[in-house]
Structures are given as structure tokens and as C-alpha cells.
Amino acid sequence: MWRERNVRNLVLPFAAAITKLNQSSSTILGKWWSSLKASFLNNLVQKFKGMVVFVLYYYAQFKESQQDLQNVLNVLKLLYKANVKAQETIPLNKFYIDNLCCWVNLHQDVLNMKFCNRSPDEVNKEEFLVIFCHYPFILNLSAKIQALHTFAALNQQEAHFQAVFSEGNPSFPTLPTSHELKLKVDRKTLVADTFQWLKNVDDRDLRKKLMVEFKGEAGVDYGAISREFFLLLFEELIHPDSGMFISTEQSTGIWFPSQVTGPMENYFLLGIVCGLVLYNFGVVYIPFPLALFKKLLNVKPILEDLLEVDRVLHKSLQYILDYKYNLEENLLLDFSIHWDNQQVELIPNGKETRVNVGNRERFVAAYVDYIFKKSVEGPFGNFKRGFYKVCAEEIVRFFQPQELMDLLIGTDDYDWKTLENVTTYKGIYNRSHPTIEMFWEVFHKLPLEEKKLFLRFLVGTDRIPVSGMSSLKISISSLWSMTENHFPVANTCFLTLFLPAYTSVKSLREKLVIAIKCTRGFGLT
């Protein structure tokens, strides 16, 4: 850390001078920074990050320090843009200030951002000089998630307020409609019920907290019913029989079809559902490729993104780029392709334009652009419109594509030992209880698929939140009425496993496996 004298007399004036550069000079500086080697660019970034912390630590209580802070943040913003323009010379997480929340009230900062964005003409610029959410590239993933949750909670409060007070005269509250978004569906017609319901939902109600009820089943949705609802819904939506997506035997993900066979509106409704998952802090498995999340954030997909959609095609296109012989004569390719059961010309007169060494990069770029952009303008455009009908783009853009992907669909980073370490015990149980010792012995010997079934049984989903297995705060308890003849019971709302006091490993294993394989639903007998 610099000494205070150097900071006041050298570094802060230097930052102020950079921010006062005219557009032309700023552009030249940005180009120079873009050309720096990674080590030099990273050194600059770390120094100015250190300056942010220094000013926050030593001068946060002084109003005049706000201008200094803004100057340093603006320099970091220029460095960030230069790095992006250079196609990420250094990883974007090098810009994160991990301990920022030690000095910044992020909840208040999100409030300030919402106020400034909504009423820019009413803002006192001196009062709101520095809003850290206007510099999202310095927020680490934890801070971004906190900001997203705060933003969603504020929107839910606003929706509740609008439900209670009449729009005509806010001084007189009307009988409240509901501050919840209630959905009642039949398991047998899950997709049809959900899509029909979404067609009739008022846009403002989408900001309310989602509460799901399955017809014929008891239970209040404290989160567990919603988790199961999303899990079952997407199992049907991504199934080949739905006809909404295409995939290849060599792919690990699904993609939008170029020829839509069902109602185009379904992709709009699908986008709303995905938005509801994120808005309600859910996690659900959808094998979308990273390219989808890039497109949501206006980042252009590249050839490597094709690996998740069609591994063989990716290999073929890379082969064309690397081919060292006479490409035109040996491979006999032209600018027409076969995709999704149809022949397509990538450029006008593509059938007559041969691929050669001089235009092969253009061919590959056009091929990738067709798959990820031109062929899916209809379905993806509707999906994106539905997604942002629920989620505010101003907060979603905080995330990098991989972060947004992990946030929505979770991960499969199963750290079972961590799950054991964070588990708590209630009632007669503690970690050294014989039944608990047997339980973990049995659990760790289960095959992966049965461990995942256990998560679905207890948590409502087998996907791990991006924050990791340690965020699953499960507990194991007992009920006085349980005997060894009973099966384990899960309270998914509170992530509690009620485990009978088994005295044998065999009995515990048999009844646990039966329970996790056979139980589905709330209030079912």
C-alpha cells in the first residue's frame, strides 16, 4: 500500500488527470493499454484496485473523498474496457475487489442505483456521486448475487405495495389482492397448465414471489414445492418429445431449432419461466450451452461455443482452419451448409462460392454466426424477451456469461464430504450418535445417481447452487413416533431429514434407498 503522502500528491492527481482527458486522448490511452502484456496490464489493475480500498479505508468518512474515489473507479473502468477490447488479456475476475462489502453497504448501493436509474432528473449528483453498482466489473460473484437478491427483494416489496394501495389514490389502501404470484398446476398437465397460466398473468405480478401448489396435494410453498415444480417442468420441456429444441448425439447441450414446429409463443413463455427461476433464487438443470448466456448478455458466441452444441461440427470447422494443403481442390467446400435438416447458403450465391485458404475464416465465422444468430432469431428473440420481462437487464448484466449460467442451472460439483461437514443435528442426534455414524457410512457408499436422488428427496433438486455444497444447510433430526420400521422422511421446506434411530446398517440402507427412489410429491400417501 502506498504511503498517504504519495497517494494524495501523486496517485490521486494522476487518476484525476486521466479522467479529464478528452475523448480522442482517452481512446489513444485505451488502445495503448490494450496492447500491454498481461503482466503489465494486471499490475496497473491491481494498483488501482488497491487505491479504491485505500480511499475507502482512510477517507470514506470525508465527503471530498467521493470525487477521488470516482476518479479511481473511472480509471479502472477504462482499464476494463481496454482488456475486453484486447479479448481479455487478463481474466475478468482480476478486476474483482473481494473485500468490497467490508466498506460498502451493497443493499443501500442497489437502492441508490434503482433511484438514479428511475429518476435521473431528481438525483442530487453530489449525494450520489459514487454508486458501486455502476461499476459491476469490480463486484465478485458473491457481491453480484447479493445485489441480485436485493434487487429482486425490492421489486417484490414494490409489487406488494402496489397490490395493497390503489393506483388512483395511494392515500387509501384497497383490499389487498395478493403480494404473491400463485400458481396451481396438475402434475399430469404441467407444461400446458403453466403456459396457459402465464398467458393470463399481469406483467406486474411477475415481480411477486412465486408460490406453487400441486392440485390434490397439501403443503405450503416455502421454496421446496417451487424447486420441485421447476425441476419437473424443465424435465418435460427439454425432453425430445417437446419438440422445442434440437440436439445431436455428439452434443452435451440443446439448442433452438431453425424450423419451429410449435407455437413461437412457447419460447417467449419459456423465457418467462427461466426468468422466474432466477428471480425466485431457484436452480434448475437446463442443458443450455454457454452461447445462450452470452447472447443474453450481448456477447458474441465463438467457434469454441460450438463444442457444446455439435462436437463433430466443431472439430470439422477447426480442421478447415488448420488445413495445410490445397483446401479448394481437396475438400471441395462451398458457402452452403446443411443444418437442422435444411440446406442453407451462408452468403448470396453461396453454392457457387468455393471455400479456399483466403476465405476459410470468413466461412467458419459465417457458419458459427448462422447457428448461433441467424437461424434462431425467432425462437431466441422470443426467449430473451420473456426472460427480461421478469429479470431486469440492468442487474443481470452484472454477471459474466459463465456466472449467469452457473447461477441459473447450478453446478454438478458434488463435494459430499462438505455436505457432511455442514450438516447439523437436532433432537437425540449429534455427530457421534451411532445412527448418524451408520448414516454417513451408508451414504458415502451410495452410487452417484442415488446420492443425487437423495438431494432431490431432501432439497427438491440435484443441482448445486453456484455458492457450493456448503450453502446446503441440511439437518438431521428425529421424531419420537418413529421406529426402525419407518422410512426416513424429508421436510424439503426446511432441508430437514427425519431419520429413525436405526440400529443396523442393512436396515438403514434398505429403507433410505426405498425412500429416495419412491417418494415424490407433497401430501401424498
Side-chain angles (χ1 to χ4, degrees):
M1 187 66 69
W2 298 282
R3 293 181 179 179
E4 183 176 353
R5 184 177 57 184
N6 289 338
V7 170
R8 300 301 303 176
N9 297 334
L10 180 61
V11 182
L12 292 181
F14 175 62
I18 291 176
T19 59
K20 291 177 181 177
L21 291 174
N22 59 36
Q23 185 61 47
S24 176
S25 299
S26 182
T27 300
I28 293 173
L29 180 61
K31 288 181 179 179
W32 180 72
W33 278 344
S34 297
S35 66
L36 291 177
K37 292 182 179 180
S39 58
F40 290 108
L41 183 60
N42 184 56
N43 188 44
L44 272 175
V45 170
Q46 300 313 311
K47 278 185 166 52
F48 280 101
K49 277 173 54 178
M51 276 306 309
V52 172
V53 174
F54 184 93
V55 175
L56 284 171
Y57 185 80
Y58 287 102
Y59 299 107
Q61 68 272 28
F62 301 115
K63 202 165 186 178
E64 59 269 19
S65 70
Q66 296 297 298
Q67 184 62 61
D68 291 331
L69 191 56
Q70 187 183 53
N71 290 338
V72 177
L73 287 169
N74 285 336
V75 173
L76 271 174
K77 187 175 183 178
L78 290 173
L79 285 165
Y80 178 80
K81 289 181 176 180
N83 185 56
V84 171
K85 189 173 182 179
Q87 299 183 342
E88 299 179 22
T89 302
I90 61 175
L92 297 182
N93 60 14
K94 293 293 184 181
F95 288 84
Y96 295 171
I97 300 178
D98 290 328
N99 52 359
L100 185 66
C101 291
C102 294
W103 298 283
V104 177
N105 183 335
L106 203 55
H107 178 84
Q108 184 62 49
D109 201 69
V110 172
L111 269 173
N112 293 345
M113 180 192 71
K114 281 178 65 69
F115 176 73
C116 291
N117 291 352
R118 182 175 298 177
S119 309
D121 296 334
E122 300 176 17
V123 172
N124 183 332
K125 293 185 178 180
E126 291 186 3
E127 183 179 355
F128 296 104
L129 191 60
V130 177
I131 297 177
F132 290 89
C133 284
H134 287 164
Y135 305 89
F137 56 87
I138 67 172
L139 303 178
N140 62 18
L141 182 56
S142 176
K144 291 175 184 177
I145 293 174
Q146 183 181 340
L148 174 66
H149 286 191
T150 297
F151 196 92
L154 291 171
N155 282 348
Q156 289 174 359
Q157 289 174 9
E158 290 177 7
H160 176 50
F161 182 83
Q162 291 175 357
V164 173
F165 289 90
S166 64
E167 293 185 1
N169 189 348
S171 300
F172 297 95
T174 62
L175 290 175
T177 52
S178 175
H179 63 280
E180 298 168 345
L181 179 60
K182 295 182 178 181
L183 166 62
K184 190 173 184 178
V185 290
D186 192 320
R187 288 178 182 271
K188 297 178 182 178
T189 54
L190 196 59
V191 174
D193 286 1
T194 302
F195 279 6
Q196 184 58 47
W197 171 76
L198 284 174
K199 293 176 184 178
N200 299 318
V201 171
D202 187 278
D203 289 355
R204 293 176 300 179
D205 290 337
L206 293 172
R207 294 186 299 156
K208 298 177 181 178
K209 179 176 176 57
L210 180 66
M211 300 289 284
V212 179
E213 178 185 348
F214 288 110
K215 292 180 181 178
E217 301 179 24
V220 179
D221 188 7
Y222 290 105
I225 300 179
S226 294
R227 287 195 294 270
E228 187 185 13
F229 161 72
F230 285 131
L231 184 147
L232 298 177
L233 179 67
F234 280 100
E235 281 184 349
E236 292 193 34
L237 288 173
I238 67 177
H239 194 278
D241 291 345
S242 76
M244 291 190 68
F245 302 100
I246 60 173
S247 62
T248 66
E249 294 181 359
Q250 301 81 21
S251 68
T252 58
I254 56 177
W255 192 236
F256 300 97
S258 59
Q259 304 177 83
V260 175
T261 56
M264 186 68 76
E265 182 185 27
N266 285 356
Y267 294 96
F268 170 71
L269 300 175
L270 173 69
I272 292 178
V273 174
C274 287
L276 287 172
V277 174
L278 189 65
Y279 189 76
N280 289 274
F281 320 137
V283 174
V284 67
Y285 177 63
I286 323 165
F288 284 144
L290 183 62
L292 178 136
F293 300 93
K294 285 187 172 183
K295 287 173 66 64
L296 281 175
L297 295 169
N298 299 319
V299 178
K300 188 176 181 179
I302 58 177
L303 176 59
E304 281 65 31
D305 293 310
L306 200 56
L307 274 168
E308 295 178 271
V309 175
D310 193 324
R311 189 174 296 272
V312 172
L313 178 57
H314 170 271
K315 185 177 181 180
S316 299
L317 293 179
Q318 190 62 57
Y319 179 79
I320 293 171
L321 292 176
D322 298 336
Y323 196 73
K324 297 180 180 180
Y325 305 103
N326 193 316
L327 180 63
E328 185 172 359
E329 291 186 6
N330 293 346
L331 299 188
L332 302 177
L333 298 171
D334 55 58
F335 275 72
S336 65
I337 63 171
H338 187 78
W339 177 256
D340 194 16
N341 299 316
Q342 62 177 337
Q343 200 70 23
V344 179
E345 290 191 336
L346 296 176
I347 60 174
N349 301 317
K351 188 69 176 174
E352 287 73 45
T353 306
R354 302 289 289 274
V355 179
N356 54 46
V357 173
N359 64 18
R360 61 182 174 184
E361 291 186 0
R362 180 189 177 197
F363 169 75
V364 170
Y367 207 141
V368 173
D369 185 67
Y370 176 78
I371 292 174
F372 287 128
K373 183 180 178 182
K374 293 181 179 178
S375 72
V376 297
E377 286 179 346
F380 176 78
N382 277 275
F383 174 86
K384 183 176 182 178
R385 186 165 58 89
F387 182 81
Y388 283 123
K389 181 173 282 290
V390 181
C391 300
E393 192 167 0
E394 63 183 309
I395 197 76
V396 173
R397 66 179 175 81
F398 282 18
F399 296 89
Q400 299 301 326
Q402 186 64 58
E403 293 173 337
L404 183 60
M405 180 178 183
D406 292 342
L407 189 63
L408 181 65
I409 70 177
T411 72
D412 55 5
D413 184 16
Y414 299 111
D415 185 347
W416 304 114
K417 195 64 181 176
T418 294
L419 181 66
E420 177 184 350
N421 291 337
V422 299
T423 298
T424 58
Y425 305 94
K426 301 176 181 178
I428 65 172
Y429 291 135
N430 54 55
R431 181 60 186 86
S432 59
H433 191 283
T435 301
I436 299 301
E437 295 283 355
M438 285 191 294
F439 171 79
W440 289 114
E441 177 186 345
V442 168
F443 179 82
H444 287 301
K445 290 180 179 179
L446 293 176
L448 177 60
E449 287 307 311
E450 290 184 355
K451 287 189 175 83
K452 291 166 67 175
L453 283 175
F454 173 79
L455 286 179
R456 290 182 62 164
F457 170 69
L458 182 57
V459 182
T461 177
D462 57 11
R463 301 296 293 177
I464 307 303
V466 67
S467 50
M469 193 75 91
S470 60
S471 63
L472 298 179
K473 306 296 186 182
I474 73 170
S475 62
I476 301 178
S477 186
S478 60
L479 291 175
W480 66 269
S481 58
M482 279 184 159
T483 69
E484 286 201 62
N485 294 324
H486 288 90
F487 293 97
V489 175
N491 184 327
T492 51
C493 294
F494 299 101
L495 306 186
T496 300
L497 176 69
F498 293 102
L499 185 70
Y502 299 111
T503 57
S504 75
V505 169
K506 180 181 179 182
S507 180
L508 191 156
R509 182 179 60 81
E510 288 178 352
K511 287 185 168 57
L512 177 64
V513 170
I514 291 173
I516 64 178
K517 286 186 176 181
C518 299
T519 302
R520 172 174 281 190
F522 293 80
L524 297 177
T525 57

